[in-house]
Amino acid sequence: MGSIEQLQTAPQVFWHTGAVTAHERLQQLGQQAATVWLTGLSGAGKSTLAYALERRLCSEGRLAYVLDGDNLRHHLNSDLGFTSRDRRENIRRSAEVARLLNDAGLIVICAFISPLRSDRALARTIIGADNFIETYVSTACNVCEERDPKGLYQKARAGLIPEFTGISAPYEVPLEPALALDTEQLSIEQACTQLRQHLAPRLR
């Protein structure tokens, strides 16, 4: 596969502008598209929160969809490993999917560890700053490790998982997230409510 630059500049590839505008989709769906980008350590509660928010929005008649990092690695990103290069490509592809779903008018909820600020900045650039809602699920590492729902911290401590975020690889805390939610202090319901309130201006 060629590089991102090659794909963008290939002379035989042309951009075709659609006939339906974002404003028309807003009028039709009664919602302004957005990507809620949940970032935080493994076990912080990102996926649980993402699906809770999706359920709440859908129960209100909204169009919402979750992109979960683990789920995408079963299909779209199944060819990627966990090197820095592969992790960046994982974020790039996932952000492109979120952008397409935003173009269709959906509210997208992304659950990705996405530990590096540079990778999250890439996602923001792809999706567009106006639609990108960086949300830091700020649950402390020791709490996530105590939960360890997938047994990953135990494996990382045993040396079975190299470059594990929070143990043997760094997590870069967002500098100016739109929201910070600590699921040790907040129930999933409370965190979901805060996110729903943040989205309120986008919903008619």
Side-chain angles (χ1 to χ4, degrees):
M1 185 179 70
S3 68
I4 297 172
E5 290 77 13
Q6 288 172 326
L7 290 173
Q8 290 175 334
T9 59
Q12 70 272 28
V13 177
F14 298 88
W15 181 264
H16 294 271
T17 302
V20 180
T21 67
H23 181 71
E24 287 178 286
R25 295 193 195 282
L26 170 63
Q27 295 298 316
Q28 181 183 39
L29 302 177
Q31 64 183 43
Q32 180 183 347
T35 292
V36 177
W37 192 277
L38 301 174
T39 174
L41 297 173
S42 178
K46 300 181 299 300
S47 295
T48 304
L49 179 55
Y51 286 112
L53 180 59
E54 179 190 45
R55 167 50 57 198
R56 179 174 297 191
L57 290 171
C58 287
S59 70
E60 297 173 359
R62 309 296 180 180
L63 289 177
Y65 191 77
V66 171
L67 294 178
D68 180 79
D70 279 357
N71 287 358
L72 288 184
R73 280 186 175 274
H74 278 85
H75 298 284
L76 177 67
N77 297 332
S78 62
D79 60 321
L80 299 177
F82 291 90
T83 65
S84 295
R85 182 184 179 90
D86 279 0
R87 287 182 175 186
R88 184 172 179 83
E89 176 62 9
N90 178 54
I91 295 303
R92 187 193 71 81
R93 291 183 194 177
S94 303
E96 291 285 4
V97 174
R99 182 185 66 80
L100 289 172
L101 292 174
N102 281 171
D103 283 349
L106 277 69
I107 295 169
V108 183
I109 309 134
C110 292
F112 294 89
I113 294 174
S114 47
L116 300 183
R117 294 186 189 116
S118 60
D119 289 350
R120 297 194 299 268
L122 173 65
R124 180 188 296 272
T125 297
I126 291 169
I127 292 165
D130 290 345
N131 283 347
F132 188 83
I133 302 172
E134 185 179 39
T135 302
Y136 177 32
V137 185
S138 61
T139 313
C141 185
N142 65 300
V143 176
C144 296
E145 188 167 359
E146 287 173 5
R147 294 174 178 173
D148 203 10
K150 302 171 185 175
L152 299 179
Y153 285 92
Q154 185 177 7
K155 291 178 181 178
R157 293 289 187 190
L160 300 176
I161 303 178
E163 296 298 305
F164 185 78
T165 303
I167 301 298
S168 52
Y171 178 83
E172 297 176 351
V173 173
L175 298 178
E176 295 182 344
L179 287 170
L181 304 169
D182 183 347
T183 62
E184 181 186 19
Q185 305 298 325
L186 297 170
S187 68
I188 291 298
E189 181 70 18
Q190 289 170 327
C192 185
T193 295
Q194 288 194 27
L195 274 170
R196 172 62 180 79
Q197 290 172 344
H198 190 84
L199 288 169
R202 294 174 176 267
L203 306 175
R204 293 188 173 183

